[in-house]
Amino acid sequence: MAKFNAKFKNLHINTKFNLLLIVTFILGMILSGVTLSSILYQRAQYEISIQAELLMETMNSLRFYTQDHVNPLLAPKLTQVSKFIPEAIPTYSVREVSQYLSKNSAYKYFKYKDAALNPTNPLDQADSFETQLVNQFKSQTQKAEITGFRTDKKTPRFYTARPFIVKEKRCLQCHSRPEIAPKSLIATYGKRGFGWKLNDIVAAQMVYVPSEEVFRKARQAFINIMVIVTSIFIAVTLLINFLLKKVVILRIRNIATTANAISKGDMSSNFQDDSKDEIGLLAIAFERMRASLLIAMDLINQTQPKP
């Protein structure tokens, strides 16, 4: 530490200034980088959660529409036909719309699913990850939503899960006991998806939205901002060095050169500085000292006896 202090004291002013400026910049970049990264990450996560929320609410709106308007029209026909009409079931509607949405390349990895432990349609069967969520909702009935990230073979995705609770008695007509369910339902799917009870949690409403692109944009924004800040720092450093050299260092160097010449007996040198700032006042003080020194030398010469 003592060696460093000794070396630092011997450095030129502009070198000392640049070292201090660089250290300050590095510390500032670390602090601002951590803060900026956190803000961008939170912003990206918020944007993803908004997309998931929008998809969830859209699918629930479709569910309610099918349940309130389509099902009443098709339900009477379920007992009159041999082939089941799946369009009468809200879960079927939301699944089909989700599949149509995923056919659009812009929404390829957006997905909605009613992940059930014992579904009527095998397409709604919960996988191992979704089964854990359903069981978590069953054990923690007060929990209304679970969110997080899931990485599968396709791409990292953000998920939002909500408990699917049996709240409508009409749902029990197709899911309580096989003997009261429409025969067309049994003929199409077999004796699956029964045993539901009112207020039971039987599935999890799952929404998946891609997250990689949003985080990629956040990382790119972070890099762009840091590059801009670094470029500004370099430009400001060069400008400050130019002004420091012109306004301070060159003037101090001129004063030092003049003082050195006077110390060697060159009394013709003078301190010339027209500025009224601190360095200008220093030059004026040195010039007065030079004039006083000339007067003192003249007095000494006058008092010395002539040979």
Side-chain angles (χ1 to χ4, degrees):
M1 190 66 182
K3 292 182 178 180
F4 174 78
N5 291 333
K7 290 182 179 180
F8 186 78
K9 289 180 180 179
N10 294 329
L11 294 176
H12 296 293
I13 292 178
N14 59 336
T15 304
K16 291 180 181 179
F17 180 82
N18 285 329
L19 286 175
L20 294 174
L21 193 62
I22 291 173
V23 171
T24 303
F25 171 74
I26 292 175
L27 294 176
M29 286 292 288
I30 293 173
L31 179 61
S32 60
V34 171
T35 304
L36 179 62
S37 177
S38 176
I39 292 174
L40 290 176
Y41 179 84
Q42 292 177 6
R43 176 64 186 177
Q45 192 167 7
Y46 173 75
E47 182 179 341
I48 294 170
S49 65
I50 289 296
Q51 293 177 350
E53 180 74 16
L54 179 59
L55 181 56
M56 177 73 79
E57 295 303 324
T58 300
M59 292 303 174
N60 276 330
S61 297
L62 174 61
R63 177 190 300 280
F64 296 143
Y65 176 82
T66 303
Q67 181 176 283
D68 296 338
H69 297 279
V70 179
N71 182 268
L73 295 175
L74 297 179
K77 298 182 180 181
L78 296 179
T79 58
Q80 303 172 5
V81 296
S82 58
K83 185 178 180 181
F84 186 68
I85 305 174
E87 287 79 8
I89 307 303
T91 295
Y92 175 86
S93 298
V94 296
R95 184 179 62 250
E96 290 298 305
V97 170
S98 175
Q99 290 177 356
Y100 271 98
L101 179 66
S102 63
K103 292 179 181 179
N104 187 324
S105 59
Y107 301 96
K108 183 178 180 180
Y109 297 115
F110 286 74
K111 182 182 178 181
Y112 176 90
K113 180 182 179 182
D114 287 329
L117 300 181
N118 180 29
T120 299
N121 192 324
L123 295 176
D124 298 320
Q125 181 67 53
D127 58 27
S128 58
F129 175 80
E130 295 161 345
T131 298
Q132 292 179 0
L133 293 176
V134 176
N135 290 330
Q136 187 173 349
F137 283 127
K138 283 177 170 290
S139 62
Q140 302 176 11
T141 55
Q142 76 284 356
K143 188 176 288 293
E145 185 176 270
I146 300 175
T147 62
F149 292 91
R150 179 182 182 181
T151 302
D152 51 26
K153 295 180 181 180
K154 296 178 180 179
T155 181
R157 292 185 293 175
F158 176 84
Y159 71 86
T160 295
R162 293 180 182 176
F164 188 101
I165 306 173
V166 182
K167 295 182 178 180
E168 298 286 339
K169 289 185 178 181
R170 52 186 165 180
C171 296
L172 301 179
Q173 183 179 356
C174 295
H175 295 285
S176 59
R177 301 193 311 273
E179 55 267 23
I180 66 173
K183 293 182 180 180
S184 58
L185 175 66
I186 303 296
T188 302
Y189 297 108
K191 295 182 179 182
R192 296 171 51 91
F194 293 103
W196 289 17
K197 296 179 181 180
L198 204 62
N199 297 319
D200 274 358
I201 297 175
V202 296
Q205 292 181 280
M206 301 294 305
V207 163
Y208 296 100
V209 297
S211 59
E212 180 61 27
E213 180 64 17
V214 177
F215 283 113
R216 186 193 67 79
K217 291 181 179 179
R219 288 192 296 269
Q220 188 61 48
F222 174 79
I223 293 172
N224 291 340
I225 293 174
M226 297 304 286
V227 168
I228 291 173
V229 171
T230 303
S231 300
I232 292 174
F233 168 78
I234 293 174
V236 170
T237 301
L238 293 175
L239 178 61
I240 291 177
N241 274 272
F242 172 77
L243 295 176
L244 182 66
K245 184 176 181 180
K246 183 177 181 180
V247 177
V248 178
I249 295 176
L250 290 179
R251 294 167 64 194
I252 293 177
R253 190 173 295 166
N254 289 335
I255 293 175
T257 301
T258 303
N260 188 51
I262 292 174
S263 67
K264 293 179 180 180
D266 183 8
M267 303 304 295
S268 62
S269 300
N270 55 57
F271 301 92
Q272 294 180 350
D273 198 305
D274 298 330
S275 299
K276 299 299 181 182
D277 57 12
E278 288 79 357
I279 297 178
L281 295 175
L282 179 64
I284 293 173
F286 271 101
E287 182 62 24
R288 288 174 179 171
M289 184 178 66
R290 185 184 73 87
S292 299
L293 184 59
L294 285 173
I295 294 173
M297 291 178 66
D298 288 339
L299 291 175
I300 292 173
N301 290 333
Q302 291 176 7
T303 56
Q304 285 182 349
K306 294 181 181 181

